[in-house]
Amino acid sequence: MKIIKLPAVLYKSLKKSRSAGKTIGFVPTMGALHAGHLSLIRQARKENSIVVVSIFVNPAQFGPKEDLKKYPRPLNKDLALCRKERVDFVFSPRPEEMYGEGFSTYVNVERLSETLCGKSRPGHFRGVATIVAKLLNIGQPDIIYLGQKDAQQAIIVKRMARDLNIPVKVKIMPTVRQRDGLALSSRNAYLDKKEKKDALVLSAALNLAKLFIKSGARDASRIINRMKRVVNKKKSSRIDYIAIVDTASLKPVRKISGECLIALAVRIGRTRLIDNIIVRA
Ligand code: AMP
């Protein structure tokens, strides 16, 4: 496994692989790898001759009051995990390398970036789209692997690739959860023991919504209200949003028919957590 710090070095190495006819799978991450990340890496390993994992805590996607500084960075542990998964290249550039002096070009995926998480995290998806565009330009992979856990991010990256004619296939892998339902996230590390229990309200609310829809409920606002009640049962929780939206446009759905995305963001203590499911009525 090669560990690469410089964009130009990764570009050159992968150019060689490409001209040798090898296919490239790319898994972008911010590190602090867990089983969710590993599921993406394993899928990439199955489907490509070369697997690239980027580990980069992207400053451009953090707001001024967010957790950029304290975001976990267990690089050595991450590298060991990548080695075990037979990753070919780990790309872990320094921020100065990705955002050099005078950096001034950003990718903004309009509308899709302004709703749900984009409302409470202004500029977040601009940062995400920009770094993913940069990584795709540097790596030029055949397939990029993303997690359903960050549903809005996945939809935005798909839109960007289409809109900007970036020749990459975007594959979305299912959310990996603990046995108790909690979606794995690097930010779960911020939770204390009690908060970890309280955090189960996210998946519990989603499961309840799914059950309601299965038993015939179609009115989105009623389902959302029931979900709110579940989440508000915990003193430590504060709802950012609970929404039922169209899976393509992310616009709110009033009456559920066909496929919809049920998504929520909830603060448990000081930690903001997100989760979602796709439901077909
Ligand atoms: P992050 O390191 O949080 O930026 O995540 C890197 C990639 O892993 C993103 O595509 C995420 O959607 C994905 N991911 C994070 N958590 C999970 C999870 N629990 N299950 C599946 N994919 C995940």
Side-chain angles (χ1 to χ4, degrees):
M1 185 176 85
K2 279 207 176 113
I3 300 158
I4 294 181
K5 298 266 172 205
L6 298 177
V9 176
L10 183 66
Y11 177 82
K12 263 192 204 152
S13 306
L14 293 179
K15 194 174 176 190
K16 245 190 232 160
S17 308
R18 262 193 311 279
S19 30
K22 294 184 172 165
T23 60
I24 299 167
F26 200 114
V27 183
T29 82
M30 298 207 299
L33 302 181
H34 51 64
H37 299 114
L38 299 187
S39 80
L40 308 186
I41 296 172
R42 282 176 196 155
Q43 190 68 20
R45 187 65 286 171
K46 259 192 224 159
E47 298 178 341
N48 301 276
S49 22
I50 299 286
V51 174
V52 186
V53 173
S54 64
I55 297 178
F56 181 61
V57 183
N58 174 34
Q61 71 188 67
F62 285 78
K65 286 185 188 150
E66 290 182 358
D67 55 341
L68 172 64
K69 264 204 183 138
K70 75 164 185 180
Y71 198 87
R73 290 167 172 84
L75 185 61
N76 287 332
K77 195 173 154 226
D78 288 347
L79 293 176
L81 284 171
C82 287
R83 226 170 254 128
K84 215 168 142 209
E85 298 299 331
R86 294 174 295 116
V87 168
D88 299 286
F89 296 99
V90 170
F91 181 51
S92 69
R94 291 186 308 145
E96 308 85 89
E97 220 56 71
M98 297 304 272
Y99 299 99
E101 218 184 285
F103 186 92
S104 33
T105 308
Y106 292 89
V107 179
N108 190 28
V109 179
E110 291 177 4
R111 288 180 295 281
L112 293 177
S113 297
E114 289 143 28
T115 177
L116 305 178
C117 288
K119 265 192 202 154
S120 44
R121 304 187 71 189
H124 169 67
F125 289 113
R126 181 178 92 137
V128 169
T130 302
I131 193 68
V132 174
K134 283 167 69 68
L135 293 171
L136 291 175
N137 278 335
I138 298 165
Q140 302 189 17
D142 297 275
I143 313 179
I144 181 172
Y145 295 84
L146 303 173
Q148 175 62 30
K149 159 85 186 347
D150 299 272
Q152 188 175 12
Q153 165 173 290
I155 289 164
I156 286 173
V157 169
K158 268 193 174 168
R159 182 77 257 168
M160 173 185 76
R162 247 195 270 163
D163 288 352
L164 298 184
N165 302 89
I166 303 178
V168 68
K169 189 168 170 192
V170 182
K171 273 214 177 172
I172 318 293
M173 301 302 296
T175 301
V176 177
R177 301 175 179 280
Q178 294 182 15
R179 224 179 290 169
D180 60 14
L182 181 66
L184 296 187
S185 160
S186 307
R187 289 192 169 97
N188 291 351
Y190 300 151
L191 303 170
D192 65 25
K193 213 167 157 198
K194 167 147 189 317
E195 288 173 333
K196 269 193 185 132
K197 269 200 182 153
D198 290 353
L200 295 177
V201 292
L202 281 90
S203 55
L206 290 170
N207 284 333
L208 184 77
K210 192 169 161 185
L211 222 76
F212 277 142
I213 294 168
K214 250 197 184 155
S215 59
R218 292 293 178 266
D219 185 300
S221 65
R222 284 185 69 174
I223 295 166
I224 290 171
N225 281 335
R226 300 293 286 271
M227 292 175 73
K228 280 184 181 163
R229 255 186 266 163
V230 172
V231 176
N232 286 332
K233 267 191 196 149
K234 297 291 170 194
K235 263 199 189 136
S236 65
S237 74
R238 213 173 73 232
I239 296 171
D240 178 356
Y241 67 79
I242 298 181
I244 303 183
V245 299
D246 180 83
T247 48
S249 68
L250 296 180
K251 285 198 179 130
V253 166
R254 285 178 63 195
K255 282 268 173 290
I256 294 164
S257 70
E259 195 185 74
C260 64
L261 174 73
I262 309 182
L264 76 172
V266 175
R267 252 173 230 288
I268 300 292
R270 301 162 69 106
T271 307
R272 186 176 179 280
L273 300 176
I274 57 171
D275 201 351
N276 70 85
I277 50 169
I278 290 178
V279 175
R280 284 168 200 91

